[in-house]
Amino acid sequence: MVAIKTTAPTQIPVIDISTSNPDAPQQLLYAASRHGFVFIKNNDAGVDPGDIDFMFRLSEAFFSASTEVKQAVSISSNKAGKNHGWLSRGVEKLDPQSQQRPDVKEAFNLGQPIGLGKYEQPIPEPLEPYVMTLYNFQNACHQLCQRILRHLATALGIDEDWFATRHEQPDERSSTVFRMLFYPQQDTSFEEGVDIRAGAHSDYGSITLLFQLPGQPGLEIKALSGEWTAVPVNPNNDDSEPLPILVNIGDLLQDWTGGLLKSTVHRVIFPKEEAGGDRYSMAYFCHPLDKALLEPVPSTVVQDNIKRTGKETKVITAGEHLMERLAATYNV
Ligand SMILES: O=C(O)CCC(=O)C(=O)O
Ligand SMILES: [Fe+2]
Protein backbone atom coordinates (compact mmCIF):
# COMPACT_ATOMS: atom_id res chain seq x y z
CA MET A 1 0.00 0.00 0.00
CA VAL A 2 1.37 3.38 -0.96
CA ALA A 3 1.03 6.15 1.58
CA ILE A 4 -0.41 9.25 -0.06
CA LYS A 5 0.21 12.33 1.98
CA THR A 6 -0.37 15.94 1.19
CA THR A 7 2.37 17.45 3.31
CA ALA A 8 4.86 19.97 1.95
CA PRO A 9 7.87 18.63 0.08
CA THR A 10 10.86 18.61 2.34
CA GLN A 11 13.69 16.87 0.62
CA ILE A 12 13.51 15.53 -2.91
CA PRO A 13 14.50 11.86 -2.80
CA VAL A 14 17.33 10.43 -4.91
CA ILE A 15 16.34 7.06 -6.40
CA ASP A 16 18.52 4.37 -7.90
CA ILE A 17 16.64 2.80 -10.84
CA SER A 18 19.39 0.29 -11.69
CA THR A 19 18.49 -3.40 -11.50
CA SER A 20 20.28 -3.60 -8.15
CA ASN A 21 17.33 -1.76 -6.57
CA PRO A 22 14.18 -3.91 -6.63
CA ASP A 23 12.27 -1.23 -4.69
CA ALA A 24 12.66 1.39 -7.44
CA PRO A 25 9.01 1.18 -8.66
CA GLN A 26 7.50 1.74 -5.20
CA GLN A 27 10.04 4.44 -4.35
CA LEU A 28 9.25 6.28 -7.59
CA LEU A 29 5.51 6.04 -7.05
CA TYR A 30 5.83 7.32 -3.51
CA ALA A 31 8.01 10.27 -4.58
CA ALA A 32 5.78 11.09 -7.57
CA SER A 33 2.61 11.03 -5.47
CA ARG A 34 4.08 12.98 -2.60
CA HIS A 35 6.59 15.46 -4.04
CA GLY A 36 5.98 15.33 -7.79
CA PHE A 37 9.77 15.73 -8.09
CA VAL A 38 12.47 13.10 -7.79
CA PHE A 39 16.18 12.81 -8.55
CA ILE A 40 17.28 9.76 -10.55
CA LYS A 41 20.77 8.53 -9.78
CA ASN A 42 22.78 8.63 -12.99
CA ASN A 43 24.69 5.39 -12.45
CA ASP A 44 22.49 3.42 -14.85
CA ALA A 45 19.94 5.90 -16.20
CA GLY A 46 21.15 5.51 -19.79
CA VAL A 47 21.95 9.21 -20.28
CA ASP A 48 25.73 9.43 -20.38
CA PRO A 49 27.14 12.26 -18.18
CA GLY A 50 29.71 13.02 -20.92
CA ASP A 51 26.87 13.43 -23.43
CA ILE A 52 25.04 15.78 -21.04
CA ASP A 53 28.20 17.93 -20.80
CA PHE A 54 28.55 17.97 -24.55
CA MET A 55 24.90 19.02 -24.99
CA PHE A 56 25.51 21.92 -22.59
CA ARG A 57 28.45 22.97 -24.78
CA LEU A 58 26.22 22.90 -27.84
CA SER A 59 23.66 24.95 -25.95
CA GLU A 60 26.30 27.58 -25.08
CA ALA A 61 27.42 27.64 -28.71
CA PHE A 62 23.85 28.26 -29.86
CA PHE A 63 22.93 30.97 -27.35
CA SER A 64 26.20 32.84 -27.91
CA ALA A 65 25.60 32.93 -31.68
CA SER A 66 24.54 36.19 -33.35
CA THR A 67 20.93 37.35 -33.29
CA GLU A 68 20.76 36.73 -37.07
CA VAL A 69 21.75 33.07 -36.61
CA LYS A 70 19.12 32.61 -33.90
CA GLN A 71 16.49 34.64 -35.73
CA ALA A 72 16.81 32.23 -38.67
CA VAL A 73 15.25 29.51 -36.47
CA SER A 74 12.85 31.75 -34.56
CA ILE A 75 9.69 30.23 -33.13
CA SER A 76 7.73 33.04 -34.74
CA SER A 77 9.02 32.28 -38.24
CA ASN A 78 6.76 30.16 -40.41
CA LYS A 79 9.58 27.72 -40.98
CA ALA A 80 9.99 26.58 -37.39
CA GLY A 81 6.41 25.44 -36.77
CA LYS A 82 4.29 25.59 -33.67
CA ASN A 83 6.24 25.60 -30.40
CA HIS A 84 9.51 24.81 -32.19
CA GLY A 85 12.55 27.02 -32.57
CA TRP A 86 14.17 29.96 -30.77
CA LEU A 87 12.36 32.12 -28.23
CA SER A 88 14.16 35.39 -27.73
CA ARG A 89 14.31 37.07 -24.34
CA GLY A 90 11.02 38.71 -23.38
CA VAL A 91 8.75 36.43 -25.42
CA GLU A 92 7.48 34.04 -22.75
CA LYS A 93 5.71 34.87 -19.48
CA LEU A 94 4.97 31.60 -17.70
CA ASP A 95 2.91 33.18 -14.92
CA PRO A 96 1.02 36.04 -16.61
CA GLN A 97 -1.33 36.58 -13.65
CA SER A 98 1.38 37.61 -11.21
CA GLN A 99 4.43 38.45 -13.31
CA GLN A 100 5.01 42.11 -14.09
CA ARG A 101 7.72 41.44 -16.67
CA PRO A 102 8.36 38.51 -19.01
CA ASP A 103 10.72 35.68 -18.08
CA VAL A 104 14.40 36.61 -18.24
CA LYS A 105 15.46 33.78 -20.51
CA GLU A 106 16.01 32.50 -24.02
CA ALA A 107 15.05 29.03 -25.18
CA PHE A 108 15.41 26.70 -28.13
CA ASN A 109 12.71 24.05 -28.62
CA LEU A 110 13.57 20.99 -30.64
CA GLY A 111 10.64 18.80 -31.67
CA GLN A 112 10.73 15.07 -32.23
CA PRO A 113 12.92 13.84 -35.09
CA ILE A 114 11.09 12.56 -38.16
CA GLY A 115 13.90 10.19 -39.17
CA LEU A 116 17.50 9.41 -38.35
CA GLY A 117 18.90 12.86 -37.50
CA LYS A 118 16.08 14.50 -39.49
CA TYR A 119 13.87 17.30 -38.27
CA GLU A 120 10.86 19.17 -39.64
CA GLN A 121 12.16 22.44 -38.25
CA PRO A 122 15.32 24.27 -39.32
CA ILE A 123 18.35 23.35 -37.21
CA PRO A 124 20.47 26.32 -36.05
CA GLU A 125 23.76 26.67 -37.86
CA PRO A 126 25.98 25.96 -34.80
CA LEU A 127 24.08 22.70 -34.14
CA GLU A 128 23.90 21.49 -37.72
CA PRO A 129 27.08 19.35 -37.62
CA TYR A 130 25.70 17.63 -34.52
CA VAL A 131 22.21 16.51 -35.58
CA MET A 132 23.07 12.89 -34.78
CA THR A 133 24.23 13.95 -31.30
CA LEU A 134 20.90 15.73 -30.76
CA TYR A 135 19.03 12.74 -32.13
CA ASN A 136 20.85 10.26 -29.88
CA PHE A 137 20.40 12.47 -26.84
CA GLN A 138 16.64 12.80 -27.42
CA ASN A 139 16.46 9.03 -27.78
CA ALA A 140 18.34 8.44 -24.52
CA CYS A 141 16.00 10.89 -22.76
CA HIS A 142 12.97 9.14 -24.21
CA GLN A 143 14.18 5.73 -23.11
CA LEU A 144 14.70 7.03 -19.57
CA CYS A 145 11.14 8.43 -19.54
CA GLN A 146 9.85 5.06 -20.72
CA ARG A 147 11.73 3.27 -17.95
CA ILE A 148 10.24 5.60 -15.36
CA LEU A 149 6.76 5.08 -16.82
CA ARG A 150 7.27 1.29 -16.69
CA HIS A 151 8.30 1.50 -13.03
CA LEU A 152 5.26 3.64 -12.21
CA ALA A 153 2.98 1.16 -14.00
CA THR A 154 4.55 -1.76 -12.11
CA ALA A 155 4.03 0.02 -8.79
CA LEU A 156 0.41 0.76 -9.74
CA GLY A 157 -0.14 -2.95 -10.38
CA ILE A 158 -0.89 -2.66 -14.10
CA ASP A 159 0.85 -4.03 -17.19
CA GLU A 160 4.33 -2.51 -17.15
CA ASP A 161 3.93 -1.22 -20.71
CA TRP A 162 0.52 0.39 -20.13
CA PHE A 163 1.86 3.97 -20.18
CA ALA A 164 4.94 3.21 -22.30
CA THR A 165 3.04 1.92 -25.34
CA ARG A 166 1.03 5.15 -25.34
CA HIS A 167 4.34 7.06 -25.57
CA GLU A 168 5.89 4.87 -28.22
CA GLN A 169 7.93 6.55 -30.94
CA PRO A 170 9.05 7.23 -33.60
CA ASP A 171 6.50 7.23 -36.44
CA GLU A 172 3.59 8.71 -34.54
CA ARG A 173 3.25 12.38 -33.69
CA SER A 174 3.63 13.59 -30.14
CA SER A 175 4.11 16.97 -28.50
CA THR A 176 7.33 15.78 -26.85
CA VAL A 177 9.91 18.55 -26.99
CA PHE A 178 13.53 18.95 -25.96
CA ARG A 179 14.32 22.47 -24.73
CA MET A 180 17.63 24.23 -24.19
CA LEU A 181 17.35 27.17 -21.80
CA PHE A 182 19.62 30.13 -21.15
CA TYR A 183 19.02 32.59 -18.33
CA PRO A 184 21.50 35.47 -18.70
CA GLN A 185 23.11 36.90 -15.61
CA GLN A 186 21.28 39.76 -14.00
CA ASP A 187 22.12 43.18 -15.27
CA THR A 188 21.96 46.45 -13.37
CA SER A 189 18.26 46.94 -14.03
CA PHE A 190 17.38 43.74 -12.18
CA GLU A 191 14.70 44.37 -9.58
CA GLU A 192 14.19 41.95 -6.71
CA GLY A 193 10.63 40.66 -6.62
CA VAL A 194 9.91 41.96 -10.12
CA ASP A 195 12.34 40.12 -12.36
CA ILE A 196 11.96 36.39 -12.48
CA ARG A 197 13.84 33.96 -14.68
CA ALA A 198 10.88 31.63 -15.30
CA GLY A 199 7.49 32.36 -13.76
CA ALA A 200 5.55 29.91 -11.55
CA HIS A 201 4.06 27.13 -13.64
CA SER A 202 3.56 23.39 -13.85
CA ASP A 203 4.67 21.36 -16.85
CA TYR A 204 2.04 20.18 -19.33
CA GLY A 205 3.06 16.68 -20.36
CA SER A 206 3.58 13.38 -18.59
CA ILE A 207 7.18 13.51 -17.37
CA THR A 208 9.91 16.14 -17.55
CA LEU A 209 13.64 15.43 -17.26
CA LEU A 210 15.69 18.42 -16.16
CA PHE A 211 19.46 18.78 -16.53
CA GLN A 212 21.24 21.45 -14.49
CA LEU A 213 24.84 22.59 -14.12
CA PRO A 214 26.86 22.82 -10.88
CA GLY A 215 27.12 26.38 -9.55
CA GLN A 216 24.00 27.52 -11.46
CA PRO A 217 21.09 27.15 -9.02
CA GLY A 218 17.75 28.97 -9.14
CA LEU A 219 14.98 26.35 -9.43
CA GLU A 220 12.33 26.42 -6.70
CA ILE A 221 9.26 24.28 -6.06
CA LYS A 222 6.13 25.42 -4.30
CA ALA A 223 5.18 23.57 -1.15
CA LEU A 224 1.50 23.12 -0.30
CA SER A 225 2.03 25.69 2.45
CA GLY A 226 2.71 28.13 -0.37
CA GLU A 227 6.38 28.46 0.54
CA TRP A 228 9.01 28.34 -2.18
CA THR A 229 11.71 25.71 -1.56
CA ALA A 230 15.05 25.76 -3.39
CA VAL A 231 15.90 22.65 -5.41
CA PRO A 232 19.61 21.82 -5.26
CA VAL A 233 21.58 21.13 -8.42
CA ASN A 234 23.39 18.33 -6.62
CA PRO A 235 21.55 16.72 -3.70
CA ASN A 236 24.57 14.49 -2.95
CA ASN A 237 27.49 15.54 -0.84
CA ASP A 238 29.67 13.38 -3.00
CA ASP A 239 31.04 15.33 -5.99
CA SER A 240 32.73 12.24 -7.42
CA GLU A 241 29.40 10.73 -8.57
CA PRO A 242 27.66 11.95 -11.72
CA LEU A 243 24.93 14.52 -11.07
CA PRO A 244 21.52 12.92 -10.66
CA ILE A 245 18.80 13.82 -13.18
CA LEU A 246 15.81 15.74 -11.89
CA VAL A 247 12.44 14.32 -12.93
CA ASN A 248 9.02 15.83 -12.39
CA ILE A 249 5.44 14.88 -13.12
CA GLY A 250 3.43 17.03 -15.54
CA ASP A 251 -0.26 18.00 -15.62
CA LEU A 252 -1.24 15.28 -18.08
CA LEU A 253 -0.01 12.46 -15.84
CA GLN A 254 -1.57 14.16 -12.83
CA ASP A 255 -4.95 14.35 -14.57
CA TRP A 256 -4.64 10.82 -16.00
CA THR A 257 -4.09 9.42 -12.49
CA GLY A 258 -6.90 11.47 -10.94
CA GLY A 259 -4.41 13.60 -9.01
CA LEU A 260 -2.51 10.65 -7.51
CA LEU A 261 0.76 11.75 -9.14
CA LYS A 262 1.52 15.40 -8.46
CA SER A 263 2.35 18.08 -11.00
CA THR A 264 4.14 20.47 -8.67
CA VAL A 265 4.35 24.20 -9.40
CA HIS A 266 7.90 25.48 -9.84
CA ARG A 267 9.79 28.57 -11.02
CA VAL A 268 13.34 29.83 -11.64
CA ILE A 269 14.67 32.85 -9.77
CA PHE A 270 17.88 34.85 -9.55
CA PRO A 271 19.41 33.14 -6.50
CA LYS A 272 20.19 35.53 -3.68
CA GLU A 273 23.42 33.97 -2.43
CA GLU A 274 25.07 33.05 -5.70
CA ALA A 275 23.83 36.00 -7.71
CA GLY A 276 25.47 37.16 -10.84
CA GLY A 277 26.05 34.12 -13.01
CA ASP A 278 24.35 32.82 -16.13
CA ARG A 279 22.20 29.70 -15.83
CA TYR A 280 21.91 27.04 -18.51
CA SER A 281 19.48 24.16 -18.18
CA MET A 282 17.94 21.58 -20.52
CA ALA A 283 14.51 20.01 -20.25
CA TYR A 284 12.99 17.00 -22.00
CA PHE A 285 9.20 17.31 -21.89
CA CYS A 286 7.78 13.89 -22.60
CA HIS A 287 4.19 13.62 -23.87
CA PRO A 288 2.14 10.60 -24.98
CA LEU A 289 1.36 10.29 -28.68
CA ASP A 290 -1.07 13.04 -29.68
CA LYS A 291 -3.67 10.44 -30.63
CA ALA A 292 -3.29 8.38 -27.41
CA LEU A 293 -6.60 8.18 -25.57
CA LEU A 294 -6.34 9.04 -21.90
CA GLU A 295 -8.47 6.06 -20.91
CA PRO A 296 -9.01 5.27 -17.22
CA VAL A 297 -5.85 3.78 -15.72
CA PRO A 298 -6.85 0.20 -14.78
CA SER A 299 -5.19 0.37 -11.37
CA THR A 300 -7.05 -0.03 -8.08
CA VAL A 301 -4.66 2.47 -6.45
CA VAL A 302 -5.63 5.09 -9.05
CA GLN A 303 -9.34 4.24 -9.01
CA ASP A 304 -9.48 4.31 -5.19
CA ASN A 305 -7.81 7.72 -5.27
CA ILE A 306 -10.37 8.97 -7.81
CA LYS A 307 -13.23 7.76 -5.60
CA ARG A 308 -11.69 9.55 -2.64
CA THR A 309 -10.99 12.83 -4.43
CA GLY A 310 -13.76 12.81 -7.03
CA LYS A 311 -11.19 13.85 -9.65
CA GLU A 312 -12.47 11.82 -12.56
CA THR A 313 -11.72 13.39 -15.93
CA LYS A 314 -13.32 12.90 -19.30
CA VAL A 315 -11.63 10.60 -21.79
CA ILE A 316 -9.86 12.74 -24.39
CA THR A 317 -6.67 12.32 -26.41
CA ALA A 318 -3.28 13.58 -25.23
CA GLY A 319 -3.35 16.11 -28.10
CA GLU A 320 -6.73 17.45 -26.92
CA HIS A 321 -5.48 17.57 -23.33
CA LEU A 322 -2.60 19.80 -24.37
CA MET A 323 -4.91 22.11 -26.35
CA GLU A 324 -7.20 22.46 -23.33
CA ARG A 325 -4.25 23.16 -21.06
CA LEU A 326 -2.86 25.80 -23.42
CA ALA A 327 -6.30 27.40 -23.84
CA ALA A 328 -6.63 27.66 -20.04
CA THR A 329 -3.20 29.31 -19.77
CA TYR A 330 -3.36 31.72 -22.64
CA ASN A 331 -7.07 32.44 -22.44
CA VAL A 332 -7.66 31.86 -26.14
O1 LIG B 1 15.36 25.94 -16.11
C1 LIG B 1 14.88 25.30 -15.21
O2 LIG B 1 15.51 24.93 -14.27
C2 LIG B 1 13.41 24.93 -15.23
C3 LIG B 1 12.74 25.21 -16.52
C4 LIG B 1 11.29 24.86 -16.47
O3 LIG B 1 10.72 24.60 -15.45
C5 LIG B 1 10.53 24.76 -17.74
O4 LIG B 1 11.03 25.21 -18.79
O5 LIG B 1 9.41 24.23 -17.71
FE1 LIG C 1 8.85 23.62 -15.84
Side-chain angles (χ1 to χ4, degrees), residues 179 181 183 201 203 210 212 219 266 268 279 281 283 285:
R179 179 173 239 202
L181 285 144
Y183 306 90
H201 68 282
D203 295 347
L210 188 77
Q212 311 182 82
L219 181 65
H266 51 283
V268 183
R279 172 180 166 90
S281 66
F285 300 104

Side-chain angles (χ1 to χ4, degrees), residues 140-152:
C141 287
H142 202 75
Q143 291 319 314
L144 175 56
C145 291
Q146 292 287 54
R147 267 173 83 185
I148 294 167
L149 288 168
R150 286 196 183 93
H151 278 323
L152 289 172

Side-chain angles (χ1 to χ4, degrees), residues 43-54:
N43 51 349
D44 179 31
V47 189
D48 188 274
D51 294 346
I52 299 172
D53 279 352
F54 190 73

